[in-house]
Amino acid sequence: MGAKECIASGKAVLGIEFGSTRIKAVLVDEKNKPIASGAHDWENRLENGIWTYSLDDIWTGLQDCYQKLAEDVQAQYGEKITKLGAIGFSAMMHGYMAFNEKDELMVPFRTWRNTITEEASNKLTELFQYHIPQRWTIAHLYQAILNGEEHVADLKFVITLAGYIHWKLTGEKIVGVGEASGMFPIDIATGQFHEKMMAQFNDAVADQGYAWKVQDVLPAVYTAGQQAGALTEEGAKLLDPTGTLEAGVPLCPAEGDAGTGMAATNSVAKRTGNVSAGTSVFGMIVLEKELSKVYDAIDLVTTPDGSLVAMVHCNNCTSDLNAWVNLFKEYSELMGHKVDMNELYGNLYRKALEGDDDCGGLLAYNYFSGEHVTGFNEGRPLFVRTPDAKFDLANFMRVHLFTSLGALKTGFDILFREEQVQVDEILGHGGLFKTKGVGQSILAAAMNAPVSVMETAGEGGAWGIALLASYMVNKEAEESLAQFLDSKVFAGQKGEKLDPVEKDVKGFDAFMKRYSAGLAIERAAVESI
């Protein structure tokens, strides 16, 4: 069946993801190949000290994104989208949307970007003996309680952005287990919110006298493959105000961008991992067993089908590197040379491969903002060298590529060295890997593990949630998500694999000793500048 026939017969599957700066829609055919797309750019705003998006931003953005998809389908295939095989929604994980009995949003949506819940994060981590990051929904709720915010007494339910969209389109308050794991800790044995921890939370807030218990205000938790409701008449009009799209389309559980990243890189099986490296960087490894203790640098979430995942999330990655590349662009233009940015990035990145294994004794920090993993609330980008360090272009580019993964390496070293976590392969995706072989080889050195980069990794989270929706309607009996991805999506697409080179691994380790020792310099810069 061709793409046109797939759309006309109503078998195409739609995935839509709300990223930080773009809402993207991807339509896939029966072979899970993207056949059309649409996008809407948007931006969060800082209001009264809170990073937020308005409800109007959400709905006008969704409708514009869907309309652009419909226009793409019309232009390519001469078809209108009247029916779909399935739909899935995903969004930036975590955050806080609180509703009352009348289904009214009581305070502006608090996104993952807010760092206003440190007290709640610390107290809940101690209470549960389980790391609760600041961006998790329960941290936001508990901070609101600690702050004495009036809206909490009227709370009916809390939800994430992905769960909110899903609820408005289906009438069902359901999230996928991966998304749920960024709201409240999951009990891996049951695939549901952790009952003991919910009881601990209820006890901790009992003196407030609220009419609700935490289990009453959290959504239902579903696993990949389960149907989580269907598009209602009202939902169809919200998504497509033209009225062309018919109701009744089944929806998969709403997921977070971590889960869709795992699906889009075929890293949901145990002993697989992925690293997403762009403006920020995060890495995830699917664990074979629980960690032995709590680590502040490591978040525990789940795959869309409920396996435990260790996540290291870092705020800073390529921003400082990009700033230096732009400086070279400015210099080139000053000298009368017109510069193609792709060529400039490629040449500078490849030059880094000529540098000394340990960057010739150079040191850099890419901290545009604070870095939780290494204990910084603010950052200052720094480049430092001793008089006898080997200062040349190759080492300069190499050290900035190394440091873009420095905080990530700090977190992963805990997993590999203290917890003896095993990983067979890591999938790299994001801007750091665009120049063939460079970011890939440096990540392999940092992780001391094979790294693959697939062509499809650029499709992103919207494709990932489309795959999860496709799995729901196209899986065979007893077929696991990992099996479905292996056989129906990624068969024959193993990507280009690079094994770590021993001298590069040793070089990265030598750099990390310098990086760790030099954090005092970064701290002094924050205090002094």
Side-chain angles (χ1 to χ4, degrees):
M1 184 183 291
K4 181 180 170 74
E5 293 76 17
C6 184
I7 294 163
S9 64
K11 292 183 177 176
V13 171
L14 173 62
I16 298 182
E17 180 158 283
F18 286 70
S20 300
T21 58
R22 171 171 282 200
I23 305 169
K24 185 175 180 184
V26 170
L27 198 67
V28 302
D29 63 15
E30 288 184 296
K31 292 183 178 177
N32 301 299
K33 299 282 191 300
I35 53 175
S37 64
H40 171 86
D41 291 336
W42 70 337
E43 196 61 63
N44 56 186
R45 58 189 80 179
L46 187 63
E47 293 182 353
N48 302 315
I50 302 288
W51 288 105
T52 189
Y53 302 86
S54 71
L55 293 183
D56 188 53
D57 292 336
I58 293 167
W59 293 112
T60 57
L62 176 62
Q63 289 166 0
D64 183 56
C65 175
Y66 182 82
Q67 187 59 39
K68 298 269 177 56
L69 171 78
E71 290 168 3
D72 188 35
V73 167
Q74 183 71 46
Q76 285 197 73
Y77 309 107
E79 291 287 340
K80 293 187 185 305
I81 305 173
T82 57
K83 295 179 182 177
L84 289 166
I87 303 176
F89 287 97
S90 67
M92 306 161 278
M93 278 182 80
H94 324 309
Y96 179 74
M97 300 184 83
F99 292 85
N100 63 16
E101 189 77 42
K102 298 177 182 176
D103 292 341
E104 297 166 333
L105 185 67
M106 293 187 289
V107 292
F109 168 37
R110 296 171 183 178
T111 76
W112 66 273
R113 191 175 180 185
N114 290 288
T115 51
I116 55 176
T117 63
E118 184 175 11
E119 182 186 4
S121 169
N122 291 337
K123 287 185 173 179
L124 289 175
T125 297
E126 186 176 345
L127 176 67
F128 297 151
Q129 285 300 294
Y130 192 100
H131 180 48
I132 305 296
Q134 284 204 48
R135 57 190 186 279
W136 281 23
T137 308
I138 195 62
H140 280 281
L141 174 56
Y142 192 47
Q143 191 66 53
I145 293 169
L146 295 173
N147 294 346
E149 295 186 39
E150 291 181 5
H151 80 269
V152 181
D154 298 321
L155 188 65
K156 181 65 177 174
F157 69 100
V158 291
I159 200 91
T160 60
L161 177 57
Y164 167 69
I165 304 289
H166 184 98
W167 164 54
K168 296 302 278 185
L169 295 192
T170 64
E172 304 281 355
K173 296 165 187 164
I174 295 170
V175 295
V177 64
E179 175 77 335
S181 69
M183 296 188 74
F184 193 95
I186 293 291
D187 181 345
I188 295 300
T190 65
Q192 298 294 313
F193 292 122
H194 204 291
E195 289 195 10
K196 179 186 173 186
M197 294 182 196
M198 288 195 292
Q200 289 173 315
F201 183 88
N202 290 331
D203 288 344
V205 302
D207 60 341
Q208 302 289 332
Y210 298 130
W212 53 266
K213 301 281 190 213
V214 71
Q215 58 265 35
D216 303 327
V217 301
L218 291 167
V221 180
Y222 280 30
T223 302
Q226 289 184 275
Q227 183 176 328
L231 190 65
T232 62
E233 295 286 353
E234 297 82 0
K237 288 186 174 63
L238 266 176
L239 182 58
D240 179 15
T242 69
T244 308
L245 180 63
E246 297 174 12
V249 183
L251 268 76
C252 72
E255 265 301 343
D257 51 3
T260 60
M262 291 180 227
T265 54
N266 194 21
S267 43
V268 301
K270 289 180 174 63
R271 294 174 65 107
T272 63
N274 75 90
V275 169
S276 173
T279 306
S280 62
V281 59
F282 62 87
M284 296 177 283
I285 294 179
V286 187
L287 302 175
E288 296 177 278
K289 60 181 180 11
E290 300 261 5
L291 299 182
S292 66
K293 60 182 180 180
V294 177
Y295 297 97
D296 204 32
I298 297 170
D299 304 345
L300 292 172
V301 292
T302 80
T303 62
D305 57 350
S307 294
L308 189 64
V309 174
M311 174 195 276
V312 179
H313 185 283
C314 309
N315 292 337
N316 303 283
C317 187
T318 58
S319 294
D320 194 38
L321 188 55
N322 295 341
W324 283 109
V325 172
N326 282 325
L327 192 73
F328 289 120
K329 171 179 179 276
E330 195 177 336
Y331 168 75
S332 296
E333 290 174 346
L334 180 68
M335 298 302 289
H337 304 295
K338 187 75 175 162
V339 175
D340 175 85
M341 288 305 286
N342 285 331
E343 186 181 4
L344 180 62
Y345 268 102
N347 287 339
L348 288 172
Y349 274 37
R350 283 186 288 271
K351 189 68 179 175
L353 298 182
E354 299 173 18
D356 294 311
D357 300 343
D358 70 341
C359 310
L362 305 184
L363 178 61
Y365 294 98
N366 61 337
Y367 294 6
F368 262 62
S369 64
E371 195 55 80
H372 172 74
V373 172
T374 48
F376 287 85
N377 291 323
E378 293 181 60
R380 302 289 184 272
L382 284 179
F383 171 64
V384 185
R385 63 189 174 104
T386 58
D388 61 344
K390 190 176 176 185
F391 184 37
D392 58 23
L393 182 59
N395 281 329
F396 183 80
M397 289 308 301
R398 191 174 181 87
V399 78
H400 282 92
L401 282 162
F402 272 33
T403 201
S404 67
L405 299 174
L408 185 76
K409 166 80 166 161
T410 303
F412 269 106
D413 278 352
I414 295 171
L415 294 173
F416 294 145
R417 294 176 181 176
E418 296 186 36
E419 290 288 335
Q420 306 298 309
V421 167
Q422 301 294 312
V423 63
D424 295 327
E425 187 178 12
I426 292 175
L427 277 293
H429 53 119
L432 188 70
F433 304 104
K434 281 184 179 172
T435 300
K436 185 175 179 180
V438 180
Q440 188 178 2
S441 67
I442 287 169
L443 180 62
M447 301 292 113
N448 193 15
V451 173
S452 292
V453 175
M454 294 183 185
E455 290 178 19
T456 50
E459 299 291 353
W463 184 55
I465 190 66
L467 296 179
L468 293 173
S470 176
Y471 172 62
M472 175 185 71
V473 291
N474 294 320
K475 70 180 186 301
E476 295 172 23
E478 307 302 316
E479 186 176 34
S480 71
L481 178 59
Q483 289 167 337
F484 176 83
L485 292 174
D486 268 341
S487 63
K488 308 267 175 46
V489 181
F490 293 96
Q493 286 188 48
K494 290 301 178 189
E496 297 207 14
K497 185 174 177 180
L498 272 183
D499 289 314
V501 176
E502 187 178 358
K503 70 183 184 67
D504 289 341
V505 173
K506 288 179 177 175
F508 210 110
D509 284 343
F511 163 76
M512 284 305 296
K513 287 179 182 172
R514 198 179 317 128
Y515 182 95
S516 299
L519 287 171
I521 308 168
E522 175 71 18
R523 208 165 296 285
V526 171
E527 291 167 359
S528 305
I529 304 174

